Amino acid sequence: MSKQIELIVEGMTCASCAAHVEQALERLPGVADAHVPGWESKRAIVTLGSEVDPSALVSAVEEAGYRARLAPQHDNQPSAEGATIMVIGGGSAGFAAAIKASELGAHVLLVNDGPIGGTCVNVGCVPSKALIRAMEQYHRAGEHPFRGVHTSKGALNWAQVVAHKDELVAELRQAKYLDVLAAYPTITYVEGRARLLGENRVAIGDTTYTPDAIILATGASPWIPPIPGLADAPVLTSTTAMAMRTLPRSLIVLGANAVGLEQAQIFARAGVPVTVVELMPRIAPFEDETISAALQEALEQEGLLFETSFETEKVVSTPGRVTLHAKDGRQVSAEYVLVATGRRPNTDGLGLEDAGVERGKRGEVIVDETLRTTNPYVYAAGDITGRDMFVYVAAYAGALAAENALTGAGKVYRTDYIPRVTFTDPQIASAGLTEAQARAQGYTVHVSELSMAHVPRALAARDTRGLVKLVADANTDRLLGAHILAPEAGDIIQIAALALKLGLTVSEIRETLFPYLTNAEAIKLAAIAFEKDVEALSCCAG
């Protein structure tokens, strides 16, 4: 019967190092297979076909020029029944991990330091989308796309808007987190701060625990860049900005990615003069370039101002005023600056160094493709890993980490089709590769761009803002990416995400029935536009 032994390997710096280690191990008699799950993991998993002295494995790696030691060996049973697992963090990743572990039959200790529910329900998705929708209603009241229909904005009571948002947050925190715990008697919830002590030992206060597995899911927090003068300025983050009961007189938003753009439009639609400052040459810099340009044009029509390629050299504050100075001499001033320059994982104080859990340059926990850290007892999921910071991805990762930790399933964390949405109006929704990314990866690219002006639903709604861009492999016809700018684009993108997950071709999308007079039909029309001029089609001939 084959047996697996795990090694901790120090000194690997690239994929070639990983291959070198694998080759050194596989040359040993009795070794059936050797696998390094990414050089960053610092691990080698060796499958033995016959009995081998473990010290020989260590020697083989060291002779190849690397440092090695045997990892603590613990058996992952095929069933988690009766096992114990500690989940550190009470947000979406932590709750998903705890629930999955409970369903597998494990006893779960869910440890949380701070408001239950994490970022999404408290200071992220829920409150921001509530404010976005409120300000969309307010903005629409002043628009008149239909003849004979006249509406007006009326007065805006910002304090009541924020209070209503806070009520929703409290309701969902209770219903979706606190009440959910009652349905899982094998989950014990503990408020406190956990610290790893090494191997599978964890301290909470004066008590030390030794669970069979540990999952880190402590999330991330807004990051303030070390720009001279910024720490002394009247700084807001998305968290503090959404808590203000009085609107600022003017606002600079530093950072033009999803959070920055969403917050900028919220306050602009509430009547606040807003300037968005971005270090990169364009807004939404990680989206397709065509989408970024179209969104900026739409937001500029609402009065937002943009300063791109703005490298802030210093920040100067005077009473009631803050000024950002760029290296090229440009200056931007407002009452407040809202910093939306990204988030950093909450890893300080967790004892990661003592536990042998490696961190990256931004403090993120390094994991392999199964979400296992460099400590074989410890897995990590969600924003603490510094990747794919979306609540639904965190939940997926939490459940995956729990199953892998408890059963040894070895399921791989898959990210190639993850849909992402920026909830501006119009929204950005994307999945898969951009045109530039596809070309960089060596694909022969075929692209289709369709204006929403060709979508019957958009015409009927008198709102033709935006476009759909599909990216395909010209050799295989397989869809590689989809990028949408449109009202409610987030409701459309899932079609493309499924197509990417299933490896569908453009022809297969084109041959699929889509309901007429829906915005989702834009995906099919864009697929048709690869080979036909949609202007020459009847409105319902798709």
Side-chain angles (χ1 to χ4, degrees):
M1 180 179 292
S2 63
K3 176 183 177 182
Q4 280 194 342
I5 290 182
E6 187 171 335
L7 302 175
I8 304 296
V9 181
E10 304 282 351
M12 293 187 292
T13 59
C14 63
S16 294
C17 293
H20 194 196
V21 169
E22 289 175 346
Q23 291 164 4
L25 289 166
E26 288 173 346
R27 282 196 291 266
L28 282 177
V31 172
D33 180 66
H35 173 55
V36 175
W39 64 266
E40 306 98 325
S41 70
K42 295 187 176 181
R43 297 167 54 226
I45 301 169
V46 184
T47 302
L48 304 180
S50 60
E51 195 65 33
V52 176
D53 184 351
S55 64
L57 302 175
V58 173
S59 297
V61 174
E62 291 178 342
E63 289 172 6
Y66 306 91
R67 301 181 302 279
R69 67 182 187 275
L70 291 173
Q73 302 299 312
H74 63 290
D75 294 329
N76 275 319
Q77 302 299 325
S79 170
E81 191 72 33
T84 60
I85 185 169
M86 180 181 289
V87 178
I88 303 173
S92 58
F95 258 72
I99 289 170
K100 183 65 174 180
S102 177
E103 291 172 345
L104 288 170
H107 300 286
V108 184
L109 190 64
L110 177 60
V111 186
N112 187 53
D113 180 28
I116 194 169
T119 295
C120 179
V121 74
N122 290 295
V123 296
C125 318
V126 170
S128 65
K129 277 51 181 181
L131 292 180
I132 286 168
R133 186 63 83 180
M135 289 303 96
E136 182 179 331
Q137 293 287 320
Y138 183 63
H139 175 75
R140 291 265 176 262
E143 300 290 304
H144 305 105
F146 296 94
R147 294 176 190 166
V149 178
H150 300 282
T151 57
S152 60
K153 287 184 176 181
L156 174 65
N157 189 321
W158 181 253
Q160 286 188 11
V161 172
V162 172
H164 198 202
K165 173 264 297 182
D166 291 342
E167 290 175 13
L168 176 64
V169 168
E171 290 169 3
L172 290 179
R173 186 191 301 126
Q174 181 68 44
K176 296 300 181 182
Y177 290 89
L178 289 170
D179 292 349
V180 165
L181 288 174
Y184 293 91
T186 58
I187 300 176
T188 301
Y189 180 73
V190 176
E191 291 186 356
R193 188 163 183 81
R195 180 177 177 82
L196 306 185
L197 302 176
E199 294 189 338
N200 62 331
R201 293 177 293 118
V202 186
I204 304 174
D206 296 329
T207 304
T208 299
Y209 299 83
T210 54
D212 296 312
I214 302 161
I215 296 179
L216 303 176
T218 53
S221 299
W223 175 69
I224 308 297
I227 298 171
L230 185 59
D232 301 320
V235 169
L236 300 171
T237 65
S238 59
T239 300
T240 56
M242 290 191 294
M244 295 179 73
R245 296 300 178 103
T246 303
L247 288 167
R249 291 193 296 271
S250 56
L251 186 65
I252 297 168
V253 175
L254 182 59
N257 212 324
V259 172
L261 293 172
E262 290 174 4
Q263 296 284 317
Q265 192 174 36
I266 287 172
F267 285 100
R269 285 184 164 183
V272 178
V274 176
T275 301
V276 180
V277 171
E278 171 56 43
L279 174 64
M280 302 291 281
R282 58 188 176 90
I283 71 169
F286 304 112
E287 299 293 343
D288 189 275
E289 189 169 354
T290 304
I291 298 291
S292 296
L295 176 62
Q296 180 168 335
E297 181 180 353
L299 295 178
E300 285 175 339
Q301 290 176 359
E302 292 190 17
L304 281 83
L305 302 177
F306 293 92
E307 293 287 347
T308 54
S309 299
F310 192 105
E311 187 174 357
T312 306
E313 184 176 41
K314 64 179 179 179
V315 178
V316 177
S317 301
T318 57
R321 203 76 177 160
V322 58
T323 302
L324 273 60
H325 294 256
K327 288 186 176 180
D328 62 9
R330 284 180 288 169
Q331 297 181 15
V332 180
S333 298
E335 183 184 12
Y336 288 97
V337 55
L338 193 164
V339 179
T341 49
R343 299 170 68 82
R344 293 293 184 270
N346 297 324
T347 52
D348 291 341
L350 282 176
L352 301 184
E353 294 80 8
D354 295 336
V357 175
E358 185 181 1
R359 292 193 291 178
K361 294 180 180 179
R362 296 186 174 187
E364 73 277 14
V365 171
I366 302 297
V367 295
D368 66 14
E369 74 272 21
T370 69
L371 300 180
R372 199 178 197 182
T373 74
T374 46
N375 178 327
Y377 291 98
V378 182
Y379 287 70
D383 292 359
I384 193 173
T385 66
R387 57 167 83 170
D388 309 314
M389 292 189 179
F390 307 103
V391 62
Y392 46 95
V393 181
Y396 154 68
L400 183 73
E403 184 173 0
N404 285 342
L406 289 168
T407 71
K411 290 186 176 180
V412 173
Y413 175 79
R414 183 179 173 188
T415 62
D416 56 329
Y417 70 94
I418 291 175
R420 55 192 182 273
V421 183
T422 298
F423 287 88
T424 47
D425 179 27
Q427 297 172 358
I428 298 176
S430 305
L433 301 177
T434 65
E435 179 181 356
Q437 289 170 338
R439 293 189 189 281
Q441 292 187 21
Y443 287 101
T444 301
V445 174
H446 195 194
V447 172
S448 168
E449 288 186 16
L450 178 86
S451 168
M452 290 299 290
H454 295 303
V455 180
R457 173 67 176 179
L459 291 167
R462 306 288 182 183
D463 189 352
T464 58
R465 294 171 299 160
L467 70 143
V468 175
K469 181 173 181 178
L470 300 183
V471 181
D473 182 346
N475 294 324
T476 66
D477 195 41
R478 183 169 63 88
L479 184 69
L480 299 176
H483 309 276
I484 306 169
L485 181 70
E488 309 300 341
D491 293 341
I492 307 172
I493 195 63
Q494 190 60 28
I495 299 165
L498 282 171
L500 289 165
K501 182 178 182 180
L502 299 174
L504 298 186
T505 64
V506 171
S507 296
E508 288 171 324
I509 296 171
R510 198 160 43 229
E511 294 163 2
T512 300
L513 292 173
F514 282 67
Y516 179 58
L517 223 65
T518 64
N519 277 331
E521 192 184 13
I523 294 285
K524 178 167 184 171
L525 290 171
I528 291 172
F530 274 105
E531 61 178 22
K532 291 184 179 180
D533 180 0
V534 295
E535 290 189 22
L537 296 177
S538 168
C539 64
C540 54

